[in-house]
Amino acid sequence: MNEFAAVILAAGKGTRMKSELPKVLHEIAGQPLVEYAVDAAAGAGASRICLVVGHGAEQVRAAMGEAHLYAVQEQQLGTGHALQTALSAFSQLPPALLVLCGDTPLLTAETLNTLTNQFFAEEADCTVMSAVLPDGGNYGRILRDASEQVCGIIEARDASPAQKAIREINSGVYCFRTEPLLEVIGELRPNNDQGELYLTDVLSSLRQRGRKLTAFVCPDANEILGVNDRAQLAELSALMRQRINHRWMLAGVTMIDPATVYIDAKVELGSDIILEPQVYLHGNTRIGSGCKVGPGVKIVDSQVGEQCILGPFTYLRPGTVLADKVKAGHFVEIKKSRIGKGSKIPHLSYIGDAIIGEGVNIGCGTITCNYDGVHKHTTVIEDQAFIGSNTNLVPPVSVGKRATVAAGSTITEDVPEDSLGIARGRQRNVEGWTLSRDPRFAKKEEK
């Protein structure tokens, strides 16, 4: 078995982000940057994952949980120093290590799997992932000898003009065989203008010892892109959104205007869903097959059954669960509520902390007054009840099966099943009231 563990470098402060939040915790499509790296490594088959943390270490640990190993890099002295720090976190070192950065969210498990398979198949001591770019920019350059074998990496800031002309660049992703790595990693010296221990120097040391170096050229150069500032965060967010939307369209989801649809990484969608423009699907949201989601709809951490109709401008807040064939129409907000099969909330209503049965009709302008200023309370509306327009339901309160609440009522007591609940004053008309209070009309009447 080709066993390997993964080391994810996530210790940097990310000064250019201009943020108190550690760089790797900034989000793309609802997920921290570092979580993408963890998911990719796990998906490629890493037996264990070690996160090298430094700036904001406790925040990163709290966000990522205790399922991983952690190594604290107290001083950020370079990528080589980060890997040295990681090695001490393993009680027993694996035969191979996959090393990657925590700020490259587009890197996929499939690409890492191809890299590691090549590494083991070639019996290399180190395989570096490279990419070919029209302009190498600030990336390190892959150095090859006369026979085109990898012989090292030179950082851009230390490269000569001829070396800067090289188009094959270093992605910062490596596979190392652990035994030869241990032989050379302690020899790193800060012989560069940064005064840091470069992980790239490990390759030249391995080469000097006659070890085998190879390169895997990433077929999609976008995958190696990293985030260093807010502008790059936005650029990679757009690329991730395109990737997510493309995947769902191939899975049977129709998007009227994909450029205006925002779907988080953990959202799950069924087939034959129609998403109109300006739809936002966030967090742990699931939408069943055959739903139509109208323009301006926002859904957060909610579950939607099959054949539901939502929007325009519906907002489902966290904890909402819609059963099959529910309609939540124009300008409806639902928060932490369960809506039964076939129930309808057509327009201009707020439903919070409610349990609504099957076949219920909620009239326009209905609200559940769930908050008393201190506590939240639950409203229960049972199967086939009918709630008239402009109704206020003041919980804790329940409306029984097949009961009707008259329009304009403020309900503060339970309505039994098969009953009519009315809570409004009797209409009284005062004749001549306008004339008595407005002298303008009184003068016209005298003439």
Side-chain angles (χ1 to χ4, degrees):
M1 180 180 176
N2 295 324
E3 181 190 354
F4 67 93
V7 173
I8 298 175
L9 309 182
K13 181 177 181 180
T15 305
R16 283 178 280 175
M17 296 297 290
K18 302 291 194 296
S19 175
E20 294 299 317
L21 188 70
K23 179 174 72 170
V24 296
L25 292 185
H26 283 264
E27 293 188 354
I28 282 180
Q31 187 166 297
L33 298 175
V34 68
E35 190 170 346
Y36 286 101
V38 169
D39 289 346
S47 59
R48 285 166 289 174
I49 295 174
C50 176
L51 288 149
V52 181
V53 295
H55 176 73
E58 291 306 313
Q59 290 173 275
V60 176
R61 189 165 190 150
M64 298 307 299
E66 298 302 320
H68 316 295
L69 299 173
Y70 291 90
V72 180
Q73 189 183 16
E74 298 290 354
Q75 292 181 289
Q76 280 74 66
L77 302 178
T79 51
H81 179 251
L83 184 54
Q84 289 176 347
T85 304
L87 294 174
S88 63
F90 291 92
S91 57
Q92 182 176 355
L93 286 168
L97 286 170
L98 170 67
V99 181
L100 62 157
C101 299
D103 62 353
T104 52
L106 298 178
L107 193 59
T108 65
E110 292 75 16
T111 297
L112 292 181
N113 188 56
T114 305
L115 166 68
T116 55
N117 285 343
Q118 176 180 314
F119 166 77
F120 287 114
E122 294 177 338
E123 297 183 341
D125 293 296
C126 173
T127 298
V128 57
M129 182 187 293
S130 67
V132 177
L133 301 178
D135 177 2
N138 293 323
Y139 290 97
R141 303 318 200 259
I142 301 295
L143 303 179
R144 294 179 181 267
D145 60 20
S147 60
E148 288 299 308
Q149 298 299 305
V150 176
C151 59
I153 298 173
I154 184 74
E155 294 293 347
R157 63 175 61 90
D158 301 316
S160 67
Q163 291 169 329
K164 285 183 178 179
I166 296 172
R167 295 174 60 239
E168 186 180 12
I169 59 91
N170 174 29
S171 70
V173 180
Y174 313 86
C175 271
F176 292 105
R177 198 156 63 85
T178 305
E179 181 183 345
L181 173 66
L182 293 175
E183 293 176 2
V184 300
I185 194 166
E187 300 175 356
L188 293 178
R189 296 293 181 269
N191 299 323
N192 50 73
D193 66 353
Q194 292 290 101
E196 294 181 347
L197 302 182
Y198 285 170
L199 185 54
T200 51
D201 289 344
V202 167
L203 277 73
S204 56
S205 295
L206 290 172
R207 169 80 173 196
Q208 290 169 9
R209 291 174 181 248
R211 298 294 189 173
K212 185 176 182 179
L213 307 181
T214 64
F216 164 72
V217 181
C218 184
D220 181 0
N222 281 340
E223 286 196 31
I224 64 105
L225 295 175
V227 173
N228 290 304
D229 54 38
R230 306 289 182 123
Q232 290 176 333
L233 184 71
E235 291 168 7
L236 269 62
S237 292
L239 291 171
M240 181 63 76
R241 190 166 72 250
Q242 291 172 14
R243 177 189 290 180
I244 291 171
N245 289 0
H246 183 71
R247 173 167 61 88
W248 284 120
M249 286 188 285
L250 293 182
V253 174
T254 294
M255 300 183 192
I256 305 302
D257 183 5
T260 66
V261 173
Y262 297 76
I263 304 175
D264 280 359
K266 293 181 180 178
V267 169
E268 297 179 16
L269 302 176
S271 61
D272 290 321
I273 293 172
I274 298 175
L275 302 179
E276 296 198 28
Q278 297 299 329
V279 167
Y280 302 82
L281 307 178
H282 295 307
N284 294 308
T285 287
R286 293 205 308 266
I287 300 179
S289 299
C291 291
K292 183 174 182 180
V293 183
V297 169
K298 182 176 183 178
I299 305 176
V300 184
D301 293 328
S302 296
Q303 318 302 315
V304 178
E306 297 185 352
Q307 299 179 50
C308 292
I309 298 175
L310 307 177
F313 304 104
T314 287
Y315 180 18
L316 302 188
R317 291 168 56 187
T320 295
V321 178
L322 307 186
D324 296 345
K325 299 182 178 180
V326 168
K327 179 178 181 180
H330 294 57
F331 298 98
V332 169
E333 180 176 350
I334 305 175
K335 174 257 179 185
K336 197 179 180 182
S337 297
R338 302 182 68 88
I339 315 298
K341 182 178 180 180
S343 290
K344 295 178 174 59
I345 311 170
H347 37 212
L348 298 169
S349 294
Y350 168 72
I351 304 298
D353 298 286
I355 300 172
I356 295 178
E358 297 184 3
V360 172
N361 187 86
I362 304 292
C364 176
T366 294
I367 66 171
T368 58
C369 310
N370 54 323
Y371 185 49
D372 64 8
V374 179
H375 301 105
K376 299 290 178 69
H377 300 282
T378 301
T379 297
V380 177
I381 303 174
E382 298 185 14
D383 297 350
Q384 298 178 334
F386 182 94
I387 309 300
S389 297
N390 196 32
T391 292
N392 302 311
L393 297 161
V394 184
V397 71
S398 65
V399 177
K401 293 180 179 178
R402 299 173 300 279
T404 296
V405 173
S409 294
T410 296
I411 299 298
T412 59
E413 298 179 4
D414 293 349
V415 179
E417 64 181 50
D418 299 314
S419 299
L420 170 65
I422 306 175
R424 62 188 186 207
R426 183 182 296 273
Q427 181 173 330
R428 182 169 65 94
N429 298 331
V430 180
E431 295 185 5
W433 183 82
T434 302
L435 299 178
S436 67
R437 68 184 294 272
D438 193 328
R440 293 175 301 166
F441 296 118
K443 289 178 181 179
K444 289 180 183 178
E445 193 69 19
E446 289 173 3
K447 293 180 181 178

